[in-house]
């Protein structure tokens, strides 16, 4: 039967009031975080991160271009972030601003300066990568995903909001931030979407922090649980059952291992130890650990080198935004007489060729790029030098090769064959991500209709979902659990 003119069907009215939620790369993987929220002819993104899973520069470039093409920038009026500072959560935002300079960017308090540094670094990497690709494929054109001017424009659009308070962003959207404990300023975000007389409460955890090493991270705000939400979109990076659980015993053993390696290779042998670190968060955490190990040891004469322009800029940004006792402790650490901060490539080269009895903290953490690659190339061929690898290394990275190829006599680094003779030490307790047992404990305590698992490898998410359902049932709760994939659409 034909609908009378001027009368709207019940189904159509219901459809107009729906909230539709879909997922990009975070639906089936651990990078490229982006959740698309559509309602009332509006599009809001929760984060818009870069993808870091390619085997080559070309494949990474292509995957990120594809990710950017999947959203219509002109339709987006807001990007909300809990943890935009890491590339895989906010790294591609300037690419959308390039197409639509009117998008609001919502983030937590005191994070915009750090975010800008990370965007500028990503822009420069993209420019260099495109130059490399253009030299390799002369018949093709490779334009940077975004440039410095796009970063400046994006930076001007950032709005910062403090934790603990509900802020009304417009007539339909309100938010409340809660610290996640992952890195400085990282938050969970409750998003309240109001349509007519109904409000839906969505909790996006973003990345949650490793609660077991919270005491080792005095500059990172402590994790705070959220007790209820209608829908929870929860990360499970370490959701797989084969992720070995970290205990205090393991943490203590790792710390003692780091201390003894530095004393032996630097102090006794007067040689060199390299700890590759991520510029954001991992460097200040590791530096704080080293500082507290040796600051009162009058005989400790090892120089601790921070060799990375980005890392040093970020240390300065931290000093600018930290407050009270945290700032006092941080600045005291930066004033430590054993600390030497290296900026220029000339100073880095000099240290590499002339300095001994040194501990080098250099980016990047997985030995995929940055000055740590040059240091690894230098140290690997010497049997009395040492590398301490302290975090996750992706399968296609140099860090992974070094960790898993100790029986090989040589390793190829950027086309150069290097003797594989240095000592390799692995410590695994310093991961910044929430561990599996704490994820189960937290998610099973939230009063919610549904928990949607994102930001994890599919096999691990399925295993985690099975165990989470058991935890929920044991607590006599009725929350359902959904394993999200790239084709999932949630309708509220």
């Amino acid at each position: 039967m034909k609908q009378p003119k001027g009368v709207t069907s019940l189904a159509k009215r219901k459809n107009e009031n729906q909230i539709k939620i879909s997922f990009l790369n975070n639906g089936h993987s651990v990078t490229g975080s982006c959740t698309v929220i559509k309602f009332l002819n509006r599009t809001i993104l929760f984060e818009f991160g870069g993808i870091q899973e390619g085997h080559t520069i070309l494949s990474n470039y292509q995957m990120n271009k594809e990710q950017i093409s999947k959203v219509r920038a002109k339709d987006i009026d807001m990007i909300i972030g809990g943890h935009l500072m890491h590339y895989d959560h906010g790294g591609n935002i300037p690419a959308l601003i390039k197409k639509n300079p009117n998008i609001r960017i919502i983030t937590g308090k005191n994070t915009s300066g750090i975010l800008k540094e990370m965007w500028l670094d990503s822009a420069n990497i993209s420019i260099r990568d495109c130059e490399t690709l253009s030299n390799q494929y002369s018949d093709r054109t490779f334009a940077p995903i975004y440039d410095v001017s796009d970063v400046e424009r994006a930076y001007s659009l950032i709005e910062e909001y403090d934790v603990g308070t509900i802020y009304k962003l417009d007539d339909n959207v309100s938010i409340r931030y809660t610290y996640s404990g992952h890195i400085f300023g990282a938050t969970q975000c409750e998003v309240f979407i109001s349509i007519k007389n109904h409000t839906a409460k969505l909790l996006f955890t973003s990345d949650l922090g490793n609660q077991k090493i919270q005491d080792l991270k005095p500059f990172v705000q402590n994790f705070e649980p959220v007790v209820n939400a209608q829908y929870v979109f929860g990360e499970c990076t370490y959701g797989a059952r084969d992720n070995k659980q970290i205990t205090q015993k393991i943490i203590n053993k790792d710390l003692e291992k780091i201390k003894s390696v530095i004393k032996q290779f630097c102090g006794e042998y007067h040689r060199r130890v390299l700890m590759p670190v991520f510029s954001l968060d991992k460097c200040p955490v590791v530096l704080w650990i080293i500082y507290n190990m040796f600051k009162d040891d009058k005989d400790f004469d090892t120089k601790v080198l921070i060799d990375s322009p980005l890392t040093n800029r970020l240390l300065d940004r931290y000093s600018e935004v930290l407050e009270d006792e945290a700032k006092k402790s941080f600045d005291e650490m930066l004033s430590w007489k054993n600390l030497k901060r290296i900026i220029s490539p000339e100073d880095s080269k000099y240290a590499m060729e002339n300095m001994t009895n040194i501990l080098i903290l250099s980016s990047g953490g997985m030995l995929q790029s940055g000055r740590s690659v040059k240091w690894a190339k230098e140290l690997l061929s010497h049997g009395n030098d040492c590398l301490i690898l302290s975090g996750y290394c992706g399968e296609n990275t140099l860090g992974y090769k070094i960790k898993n190829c100790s029986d090989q006599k040589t390793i190829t680094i950027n086309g150069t064959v290097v003797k594989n003779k240095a000592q390799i030490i692995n410590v695994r307790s310093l991961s910044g991500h929430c561990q599996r047992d704490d994820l189960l404990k937290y998610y099973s305590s939230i009063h919610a209709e549904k928990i949607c698992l994102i930001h994890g490898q599919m096999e691990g998410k399925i295993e985690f979902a099975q165990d989470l359902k058991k935890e929920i049932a044991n607590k006599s709760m009725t929350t359902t659990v959904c394993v999200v994939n790239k084709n999932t659409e949630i309708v509220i």
Side-chain angles (χ1 to χ4, degrees), residues 61-118:
Y61 178 82
Q62 290 172 329
M63 284 190 286
N64 280 290
K65 292 286 282 186
E66 182 182 2
Q67 171 101 325
I68 293 164
S69 71
K70 287 180 179 178
V71 296
R72 288 165 57 91
K74 69 177 184 178
D75 294 340
I76 300 166
D77 54 58
M78 191 184 301
I79 300 172
I80 301 172
H83 169 40
L84 295 179
M85 293 170 288
H86 273 156
Y87 177 75
D88 62 325
H89 287 261
N92 278 340
I93 290 175
L96 294 184
I97 302 304
K98 189 174 186 176
K99 299 178 180 180
N100 178 2
N102 298 310
I103 300 174
R104 296 173 68 184
I105 302 170
I106 311 300
T107 187
K109 181 183 177 182
N110 290 334
T111 61
S112 58
I114 297 171
L115 178 54
K116 182 180 180 181
E117 293 290 356
M118 299 304 291

Side-chain angles (χ1 to χ4, degrees), residues 4 37 50 89 123 126 139 198 218 230 234 246 279 324 346 365 388 452 455 468:
I37 308 165
H89 287 261
S126 180
D139 59 330
H198 176 72
Q230 186 177 354
I246 293 171
S279 294
D324 304 325
E346 293 79 16
I388 302 176
C452 304
H455 214 272
L468 178 58

Side-chain angles (χ1 to χ4, degrees), residues 22 67 78 109 129 168 194 206 327 397:
S22 57
Q67 171 101 325
M78 191 184 301
K109 181 183 177 182
D129 284 350
K168 186 175 182 180
S194 300
S206 196
K327 177 175 174 56
T397 64

Side-chain angles (χ1 to χ4, degrees), residues 157-395:
L157 298 170
I158 295 175
E159 303 171 27
E160 290 188 353
Y161 294 89
D162 204 352
V163 299
T165 300
I166 295 178
Y167 293 97
K168 186 175 182 180
L169 302 181
D170 58 38
D171 289 341
N172 303 115
V173 182
S174 299
I175 62 166
R176 177 166 55 199
Y177 281 128
T178 304
Y179 286 126
S180 70
H182 179 52
I183 68 170
F184 172 83
T187 58
Q188 304 175 77
C189 186
E190 296 165 86
V191 179
F192 304 87
I193 299 179
S194 300
I195 302 175
K196 294 187 176 179
N197 296 321
H198 176 72
T199 298
K201 179 181 176 181
L202 316 177
L203 170 62
F204 295 88
T205 67
S206 196
D207 277 351
L208 297 170
N210 183 355
Q211 298 171 44
K212 292 177 171 59
I213 61 167
Q214 210 155 45
D215 291 343
L216 300 177
K217 306 169 72 171
F219 316 122
V220 176
Q221 300 91 343
N222 289 346
F223 163 80
E224 298 174 1
V226 176
V227 298
N228 64 75
Q230 186 177 354
Y231 279 71
V232 177
F233 299 91
E235 69 108 328
C236 55
T237 307
Y238 282 2
R241 290 178 183 140
D242 62 0
N243 281 307
K244 297 178 181 178
Q245 296 305 295
I246 293 171
T247 64
Q248 190 59 51
K249 183 177 180 180
I250 292 173
I251 294 170
N252 292 340
K253 187 176 180 180
D254 280 349
L255 294 177
E256 186 55 42
K257 191 186 298 184
I258 292 170
K259 186 174 184 178
S260 62
V261 165
I262 294 170
K263 291 178 74 172
Q264 180 181 2
F265 283 86
C266 298
E268 294 178 23
Y269 299 167
H270 276 254
R271 292 298 302 178
R272 304 170 295 182
V273 173
L274 169 65
M275 287 190 72
V277 290
F278 294 108
S279 294
L280 183 59
D281 183 64
K282 181 58 79 68
C283 181
V285 168
V286 171
L287 180 58
W288 177 253
I289 290 170
I290 303 301
Y291 172 65
N292 279 279
M293 283 178 178
F294 297 108
K295 66 177 181 176
D296 297 323
D297 184 347
K298 295 179 181 179
D299 296 325
F300 184 72
D301 60 355
T302 299
K303 284 294 183 183
V304 180
L305 311 186
I306 307 294
D307 188 5
S308 161
L310 174 62
T311 306
N312 279 294
R313 291 198 302 272
L314 288 172
L315 290 174
D316 291 336
R317 297 293 86 74
Y318 270 60
S319 180
E320 290 171 0
V321 297
L322 287 169
E323 299 172 345
D324 304 325
E325 284 301 313
K327 177 175 174 56
K328 180 182 177 182
S329 297
F330 192 85
D331 289 347
E332 286 175 357
M333 177 181 71
L334 293 187
S335 300
W336 187 29
K337 63 181 178 59
N338 293 72
L339 184 63
K340 181 176 177 60
R341 299 172 66 179
I342 295 178
I343 309 295
S344 73
E346 293 79 16
D347 287 346
S348 179
K349 183 178 179 182
Y350 176 86
M352 213 171 289
E353 294 175 349
N354 298 283
M355 294 184 72
T356 56
N357 188 15
I358 55 174
L359 167 67
I360 309 105
L361 304 183
S362 185
S363 64
M366 294 189 288
L367 288 167
Q368 195 170 15
S369 60
R371 290 184 184 170
S372 63
V373 176
K374 293 181 179 179
W375 276 105
K377 189 176 178 180
E378 165 66 22
L379 269 62
L380 272 176
S381 60
H382 299 278
N384 49 2
D385 286 335
C386 182
L387 278 73
I388 302 176
L389 303 178
S390 62
Y392 170 78
C393 291
E395 191 171 345

